[in-house]
Every structure is written in structure tokens, then in C-alpha cells.
């Protein structure tokens, strides 16, 4: 407010210095003010008697002295109080962070291997000596496990040379090491234990018109588990001829995850279910204590494993069945004594059952050829191989599922495929029509352990599906 524009100007000197914009905060000032009813305009005293004028003058002088004292006090108080309108307030640092004024920096990097720790620390500005010391301490606790490392570093960078405060290096499973600076300035390392949890997940779907592979992947089965799922049923189903669009399948797999919920390592298939118009099978993966390979069992504890596998080659399609046919090369009708499985060159071929190798090598129109004699007296024949596996020689003992060679097109062949025959008492039979025998049933302590594992899978499946 400007006193010149005030029809009733105040004698309070404070009002003479005020502007429209006042300070945000007012500090009380110890001054004496005059009520409006006691104010007297100086021009009004001219017409008063001398005594009255004298009294008025005295009052005016007293008021001026008091005002001067008050004004001096106000100025002193104003100068002594904080400048609220010009103060700079620094915001508090978020939780877990230090104020920027301390010169603390934090970096998180992915490092491909242990031997890249020191160069990574050097790149952050640490001295060669300190980077080497911290990297050596960490490497001593990390071991030589392969895979990327997560490197989290906190360091001060107030001067020209960065100084390490703390460093944490972890594997994907959460195990690792923390290197930090102690009160005396020395670095020390503390090992971090792995923190993993097993989680089970189930997916369900129907076969489409293309293939089991596309159906399973579309339902959520990892592509690396599709072959394992099909192999679980290799004794019960021919995945090329005995399944049709609309058939229902279900897969359950177990995965390890770290503290952040990220998957660690490959998933393991633990449950497989397949239902067709002809039959239904549900299988549980179980590995008895004391070693040995994991096998697939039905709900009663009976192994799915049979004397012979129905399909001794992975991911193949049947290009020609057992019986009379027109020969694709010779041009006339003749007996086809086996089943042809078409697959790319190099596809693994497995022994259909436990056996002894009776022949292995090239044999005319058969190309690279292997013959196995099985424990039950049957024989299986494998023709047109691209390569016979090392160690597959006459007299060698092989177990069911052992790779004996690769698909090829040697001998009298029009393309890469496996010609597979089964002979019983010296006579060829249709490999897809024979009963391959019953699997073993587990008992005793192994049976109790299996039932516990089976019940855990069923309970988790019931909660999710």
C-alpha cells in the first residue's frame, strides 16, 4: 500500500514501507501502535490554541521518537530473521539411497564371466590395484560356474579416483559374494548362499491338425520338453498314427526359480497325460533313491517301459508301413518287411531294447546296417544309417534307449529315413502291431516314495488345472 493514496495516512512508519507483496512469514515486531481514533492530522493543529498546539506538538515529538525506536527495532528484527523467500531446501534422499552430496554412485552390470570382473571395475573408475584386489576376493568365493554374473557396485567418486564401498556379485541362482570396505579401509569378502525354490506348472491342450509339436508349444509346453513328452509315451502310443486332432494332452513341469522369481536352469517334465479315442495314459516321472535313471510310471507304480520301444527314432513320421507295396526304386510290388520312419539326416536312432549287437557295418542295399539280438530272443534291424555310433560293434552290449546311429540314406534308398524291422523266431512282424510286454512294478520303500511324489503332483495339479 502507498501512503500517498491513503485518504487517512497512518503515522505508523511501517505502513510507509509496505508494498503490495508482503513476506510469506511475519515475525512479530515489538512496536507501539496508535489507535485510529487517537490519530491527528498535522494540518488540523493549525487552528488550535497555542497551548493545544504545544500539547499536540509534544505528542507529535513523542510519537516520532517512539516511532524511530520502533522502526530501528523492526529493521533489526527483519535483518536478523531467516530469508524465507530465498531459502534453498534440499529434499531428503529416498530410502536406501545416500544424498548426492556424499558423492556415492551405484552401478549394476551384467558380466559374462568371473575373469571380466576386474576390467568392469576398472571401467567404473577404480584404480588398477583396488579393482584387482576386489576382483580376486570375489573370484575366490564364486568358483568357476559358467553363466552371466550380476555385478552391483557402490563407490565414492568425490575426487579424481573412485573408491569402492561395497560390491555384490551373484549367479542366476542367487549364490555369490559381497565385497565391502571395513572400518580400517581393508576389503573383505562374504559368501552368499543360493536361494532357490521349486515351482510346478501344468498346461493342457488339444491336438491340432498339424502336429503334436505345434499343439504342445501353443498350449505352453516349452519346445525343449516336447520330445521328452513324446518319449514318455513311446511304449504306449505311436505319435504318428495313434493320435488325432481333438485328442487331449496335459503336461506338468517343475522349474527352479531364484529369489526374484526368475527361472534357473532347465525345466523338468514330471507329469504327462494323453487321451485318445482308443486309450488314456497318465504317467509320473520318478527316480528311486540310491541312483539309477528316472523312469515313467503309471498311477499304480507300474513302469511304462516295455521290452521294446514302438518308435526307435525321435520326431519321425511313418513314410511307409509294413506289408505289400510297390517298391519305389525297383518298380514292382513286393513285401515291405518293416516300417520306414522319415526324418532329417543325422536324427538319432536308439536301441529299441536291451540287446547284444550281432552285426554292425555296411551291407549292400541295406546301407549302413545294425542288427540287435534282444534278451527275449527277438531281433531288431536298422537300415540305411548315415553313421553307426562309436562302440556299436559285434558283441557289444547296449541298453534300451542307447544311441546306435543316425538317420541317413545309404544303400538302396530314395531319401533320409530309418527302415526298422522286428523279427520273432526269425520271421518279420509288424513293429506297430506286437505286444511289447509289461513293465515292472516297484515295491517296498521305493513304492512308498513314489506314492508320496505322485500325491504331491496330483495335489498341485488339482489346485492349478
Amino acid at each position: 500500500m502507498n501512503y500517498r493514496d491513503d485518504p487517512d495516512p497512518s503515522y505508523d512508519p511501517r505502513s510507509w514501507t509496505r508494498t503490495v507483496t508482503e513476506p510469506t512469514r511475519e515475525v512479530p515486531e515489538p512496536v507501539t501502535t496508535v489507535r485510529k481514533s487517537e490519530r491527528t492530522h498535522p494540518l488540523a493543529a493549525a487552528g488550535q490554541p497555542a497551548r493545544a498546539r504545544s500539547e499536540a506538538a509534544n505528542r507529535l515529538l513523542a510519537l516520532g521518537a517512539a516511532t524511530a525506536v520502533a522502526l530501528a527495532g523492526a529493521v533489526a528484527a527483519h535483518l536478523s530473521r531467516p530469508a524465507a523467500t530465498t531459502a534453498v531446501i534440499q529434499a531428503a534422499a529416498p530410502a536406501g539411497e545416500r544424498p548426492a552430496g556424499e558423492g556415492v554412485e551405484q552401478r549394476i552390470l551384467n558380466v559374462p564371466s568371473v575373469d571380466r570382473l576386474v576390467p568392469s571395475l576398472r571401467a567404473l573408475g577404480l584404480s588398477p590395484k583396488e579393482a584387482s584386489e576386489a576382483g580376486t576376493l570375489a573370484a575366490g568365493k564364486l568358483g568357476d560356474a559358467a553363466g552371466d554374473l550380476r555385478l552391483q557396485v557402490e563407490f565414492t567418486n568425490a575426487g579424481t579416483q573412485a573408491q569402492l564401498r561395497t560390491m555384490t556379485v551373484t549367479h542366476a541362482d542367487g549364490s555369490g559374494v559381497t565385497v565391502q570396505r571395513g572400518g580400517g579401509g581393508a576389503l573383505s569378502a562374504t559368501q552368499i548362499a543360493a536361494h532357490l525354490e521349486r515351482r510346478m506348472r501344468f498346461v493342457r491342450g488339444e491336438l491340432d491338425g498339424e502336429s503334436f509339436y505345434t499343439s504342445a508349444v501353443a498350449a505352453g509346453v516349452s519346445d525343449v520338453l516336447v520330445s521328452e513328452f513324446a518319449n514318455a509315451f513311446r511304449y504306449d502310443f505311436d505319435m504318428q498314427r495313434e493320435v488325432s486332432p481333438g485328442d487331449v494332452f496335459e503336461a506338468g513341469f517343475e522349474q527352479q526359480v531364484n529369489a526374484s522369481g526368475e527361472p534357473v536352469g532347465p525345466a523338468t517334465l514330471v507329469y504327462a497325460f494323453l487321451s485318445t479315442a482308443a486309450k488314456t495314459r497318465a504317467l509320473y516321472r520318478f527316480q528311486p533313491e540310491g541312483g539309477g535313471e528316472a523312469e515313467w510310471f503309471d498311477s499304480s507304480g507300474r513302469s511304462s517301459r516295455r521290452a521294446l520301444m514302438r518308435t526307435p527314432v525321435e520326431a519321425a513320421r511313418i513314410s511307409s508301413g509294413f506289408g505289400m507295396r510297390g517298391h519305389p526304386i525297383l518298380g514292382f510290388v513286393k513285401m515291405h518287411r518293416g516300417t520306414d520312419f522319415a526324418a532329417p539326416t543325422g536324427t538319432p536312432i536308439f536301441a529299441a531294447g536291451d540287446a547284444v549287437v550281432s552285426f554292425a557295418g555296411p551291407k549292400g542295399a541295406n546301407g549302413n546296417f545294425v542288427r540287435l539280438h534282444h534278451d527275449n530272443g527277438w531281433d531288431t534291424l536298422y537300415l540305411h544309417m548315415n553313421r553307426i555310433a562309436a562302440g556299436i560293434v559285434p558283441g557289444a552290449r547296449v541298453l534300451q534307449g542307447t544311441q546306435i546311429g543316425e538317420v541317413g540314406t545309404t544303400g538302396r534308398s530314395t531319401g533320409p529315413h530309418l527302415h526298422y524291422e522286428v523279427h520273432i523266431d526269425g520271421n518279420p512282424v509288424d513293429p506297430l502291431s506286437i505286444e511289447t510286454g509289461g513293465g515292472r512294478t516297484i515295491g517296498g520303500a521305493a513304492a512308498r516314495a513314489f506314492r508320496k511324489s505322485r500325491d504331491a503332483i496330483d495335489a498341485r495339479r488339482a489346485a492349478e488345472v
Side-chain angles (χ1 to χ4, degrees):
M1 180 185 298
N2 193 321
Y3 78 93
R4 293 183 180 85
D5 300 327
D6 189 354
D8 186 17
S10 171
Y11 279 93
D12 185 348
R14 291 173 300 175
S15 66
W16 303 346
T17 60
R18 288 182 181 149
T19 60
V20 174
T21 303
E22 297 183 343
T24 303
R25 294 182 297 173
E26 288 290 341
V27 178
E29 298 174 321
V31 298
T32 304
T33 59
V34 180
R35 294 191 300 273
K36 186 173 182 179
S37 59
E38 297 176 347
R39 295 175 187 169
T40 304
H41 198 284
L43 298 179
Q48 295 179 354
R51 182 178 178 179
R53 288 199 301 271
S54 177
E55 292 176 359
N58 291 335
R59 287 198 301 271
L60 184 59
L61 290 173
L63 178 60
T67 300
V69 174
L71 181 59
V75 171
H78 180 76
L79 293 176
S80 64
R81 69 181 179 179
T85 57
T86 59
V88 177
I89 300 174
Q90 181 173 333
E97 299 182 8
R98 292 176 172 80
E102 293 187 14
V104 176
E105 295 188 32
Q106 189 178 80
R107 296 288 187 274
I108 299 177
L109 307 173
N110 286 327
V111 181
S113 60
V114 174
D115 58 4
R116 297 303 301 169
L117 285 175
V118 173
S120 298
L121 294 173
R122 290 283 308 278
L124 293 176
L126 271 65
S127 68
K129 178 181 178 182
E130 187 167 45
S132 177
E133 182 182 357
T136 302
L137 282 172
K141 300 286 186 181
L142 290 169
D144 55 358
D148 288 350
L149 298 168
R150 183 179 186 271
L151 171 62
Q152 181 173 334
V153 184
E154 189 178 274
F155 57 94
T156 56
N157 202 9
T160 58
Q161 187 73 62
Q163 185 178 52
L164 182 69
R165 291 172 63 95
T166 181
M167 174 180 80
T168 301
V169 190
T170 52
H171 294 290
D173 63 2
S175 65
V177 61
T178 294
V179 177
Q180 60 185 18
R181 189 175 300 281
L187 295 176
S188 61
T190 304
Q191 195 150 10
I192 304 172
H195 180 79
L196 293 176
E197 176 185 350
R198 285 190 173 274
R199 294 182 183 175
M200 201 177 296
R201 190 164 73 89
F202 294 83
V203 296
R204 188 179 180 92
E206 291 186 3
L207 293 179
D208 58 26
E210 296 183 26
S211 68
F212 172 72
Y213 178 88
T214 60
S215 305
V217 171
V221 179
S222 171
D223 57 352
V224 298
L225 296 179
V226 173
S227 293
E228 188 174 352
F229 184 96
N231 286 336
F233 294 108
R234 60 188 172 184
Y235 303 102
D236 297 300
F237 291 94
D238 171 11
M239 300 299 284
Q240 299 297 326
R241 299 178 63 180
E242 296 182 352
V243 296
S244 305
D247 290 346
V248 176
F249 66 90
E250 187 178 328
F253 45 94
E254 200 172 49
Q255 174 73 64
Q256 285 187 322
V257 297
N258 60 22
S260 300
E262 300 168 335
V264 177
T268 302
L269 189 70
V270 296
Y271 177 80
F273 171 90
L274 182 60
S275 179
T276 68
K279 55 188 173 181
T280 297
R281 292 288 186 273
L283 300 176
Y284 301 80
R285 180 186 178 91
F286 176 68
Q287 183 173 12
E289 294 183 4
E293 293 185 1
E295 293 185 39
W296 291 97
F297 296 85
D298 63 18
S299 59
S300 65
R302 182 170 175 259
S303 174
S304 68
R305 185 171 177 172
R306 305 290 190 269
L308 289 183
M309 297 163 51
R310 286 190 178 276
T311 307
V313 60
E314 283 188 357
R317 65 179 178 83
I318 295 177
S319 56
S320 184
F322 182 89
M324 300 298 293
R325 67 163 188 175
H327 196 281
I329 295 178
L330 301 178
F332 55 82
V333 176
K334 64 172 294 189
M335 182 67 178
H336 188 236
R337 306 197 306 171
T339 300
D340 288 348
F341 295 95
T345 298
T347 301
I349 299 171
F350 305 105
D354 297 347
V356 174
V357 179
S358 56
F359 182 89
K363 190 176 182 181
N366 295 333
N368 291 327
F369 167 66
V370 170
R371 184 183 186 111
L372 302 181
H373 183 70
H374 297 272
D375 297 344
N376 61 358
W378 299 359
D379 289 273
T380 54
L381 289 67
Y382 310 80
L383 285 64
H384 307 307
M385 289 186 180
N386 177 62
R387 182 181 70 87
I388 297 173
I392 305 302
V393 295
R397 176 79 178 173
V398 295
L399 299 178
Q400 187 178 59
T402 301
Q403 183 175 347
I404 60 174
E406 298 174 352
V407 170
T409 184
T410 56
R412 189 181 296 157
S413 170
T414 58
H417 72 285
L418 168 68
H419 175 89
Y420 173 62
E421 296 184 15
V422 177
H423 292 196
I424 299 177
D425 296 332
N427 300 312
V429 298
D430 184 355
L432 302 179
S433 67
I434 59 175
E435 174 57 49
T436 56
R440 68 185 181 91
T441 301
I442 53 177
R448 290 190 293 273
F450 167 75
R451 288 193 293 270
K452 182 178 180 180
S453 175
R454 176 202 63 192
D455 293 347
I457 292 173
D458 285 344
R460 187 70 188 88
R461 176 172 166 264
E464 186 171 327
V465 177

